[in-house]
Amino acid sequence: MSTLNVKVPDEMEEDIQAFLEEHPHYLNKSELVRDALRHLIESPRLSARAREDIRISREQIDAGDTVALEDLE
């Protein structure tokens, strides 16, 4: 197994520690980082259709062509 040294800002270190306290199934920071990297590497890529839908949605939001959820009935 390889070893990586990673520097994080102090604020992130505090966030990591708080996350570990809230999620005790991670026994330590190394397990958390390995899991995060695994999800990043193995996560499925968005399809071309999904990317296009996101692009269109962003254009609609920028143009103000949206409706509040409460108004949908």
Side-chain angles (χ1 to χ4, degrees):
M1 186 176 290
S2 298
T3 300
L4 300 174
N5 294 318
V6 179
K7 292 184 180 185
V8 297
D10 293 337
E11 298 82 19
M12 186 178 286
E13 169 67 21
E14 293 168 7
D15 291 341
I16 291 169
Q17 197 58 45
F19 185 89
L20 289 173
E21 290 171 10
E22 294 173 13
H23 300 86
H25 57 276
Y26 291 108
L27 300 179
N28 54 48
K29 291 180 231 176
S30 292
E31 285 189 10
L32 173 63
V33 171
R34 279 192 296 272
D35 193 46
L37 290 171
R38 190 176 304 111
H39 284 287
L40 179 68
I41 291 168
E42 295 174 356
S43 66
R45 304 284 185 228
L46 292 176
S47 68
R49 174 63 190 259
R51 289 192 306 273
E52 178 64 9
D53 288 346
I54 291 169
R55 184 191 65 74
I56 291 169
S57 296
R58 287 180 177 159
E59 286 179 359
Q60 291 171 336
I61 291 167
D62 290 343
D65 297 334
T66 59
V67 177
L69 184 60
E70 302 85 48
D71 295 339
L72 293 175
E73 291 184 319

